[in-house]
Amino acid sequence: DLKVDDQDILRQYDLGHQWDGTSKQPGLRKSVPPQQLFIERSIQFLKPGGMAGIVTPDSILTNPSEKFIRYWILRHAKVIASVKLPRATFEPDTPTKTHLMLFERRSQPINDIAKSNHKTFTAEAKVVGSDSNNDPVFLRTQEGDKILGSDGEPLLDDDLPAIIKAFKEWY
């Protein structure tokens, strides 16, 4: 629920300005969630061709009102991967739906993102080895018994290792 409303700070960011959906307009926004400015600054810190991974709120990638943020990202970076994470990922501390994004800074912003033929790896993790109380979740047989690994320990029910493997093969 934090907002950045200092006009001197907002002036430093494209995303601190008014947008009509795909272009920056004159005037500053009254306030901006810090995660929006964080995305812009993360990309600015990269050298052209540099890569970064960040966790973003789901709303940045899905809300129609935040289309301008997606547009800004696509103009300035190639989205290499987007992995939707389950709500339990950061619970019980926060119930926010999130995505893990991996992007590469472009050497120059592009104007026509529709002509960019860049491909993006996408995946969805349904489970990440713990529940909303941060208790471990284990793989189980149809009878409900825990599945044990070669070391005799129960295996966590976690989609991330398979997603990482699939991403490495794709990349």
Side-chain angles (χ1 to χ4, degrees):
D1 294 331
L2 296 175
K3 300 283 184 185
V4 176
D5 57 7
D6 183 318
Q7 299 295 292
D8 290 330
I9 293 173
L10 294 176
R11 186 173 289 111
Q12 300 173 38
Y13 294 87
D14 288 345
L15 297 177
H17 290 76
Q18 298 290 334
W19 282 77
D20 68 2
T22 59
S23 62
K24 187 169 84 169
Q25 300 294 303
L28 296 173
R29 295 164 63 192
K30 289 185 191 312
S31 65
V32 177
Q35 60 267 25
Q36 293 177 9
L37 302 179
F38 176 79
I39 290 170
E40 182 174 338
R41 188 62 83 214
S42 296
I43 292 172
Q44 290 172 343
F45 279 156
L46 296 173
K47 293 179 183 178
M51 296 176 76
I54 62 172
V55 175
T56 64
D58 183 70
S59 61
I60 288 175
L61 300 179
T62 60
N63 283 359
S65 65
E66 297 185 8
K67 172 185 175 182
F68 70 98
I69 300 168
R70 295 186 294 276
Y71 179 81
W72 189 93
I73 292 169
L74 293 173
R75 282 196 68 226
H76 293 85
K78 297 174 187 175
V79 177
I80 305 297
S82 176
V83 179
K84 185 175 182 178
L85 300 172
R87 188 179 297 269
T89 303
F90 297 104
E91 288 183 330
D93 298 318
T94 179
T96 304
K97 292 183 186 178
T98 58
H99 276 78
L100 172 62
M101 288 182 53
L102 177 65
F103 48 81
E104 176 185 327
R105 182 176 175 175
R106 296 181 186 277
S107 56
Q108 294 291 323
I110 61 172
N111 290 322
D112 191 352
I113 61 173
K115 290 186 178 178
S116 174
N117 61 357
H118 178 73
K119 297 197 186 306
T120 301
F121 175 87
T122 59
E124 179 178 359
K126 303 252 188 219
V127 290
V128 291
S130 62
D131 64 16
S132 60
N133 293 320
N134 205 23
D135 294 326
V137 176
F138 298 103
L139 286 173
R140 296 188 179 272
T141 65
Q142 287 182 339
E143 294 78 26
D145 298 322
K146 291 179 185 174
I147 298 174
L148 304 178
S150 59
D151 60 359
E153 294 295 317
L155 296 174
L156 287 176
D157 192 2
D158 184 356
D159 291 339
L160 293 178
I163 290 171
I164 291 167
K165 182 180 179 192
F167 172 75
K168 285 179 178 179
E169 291 170 2
W170 175 86
Y171 192 70

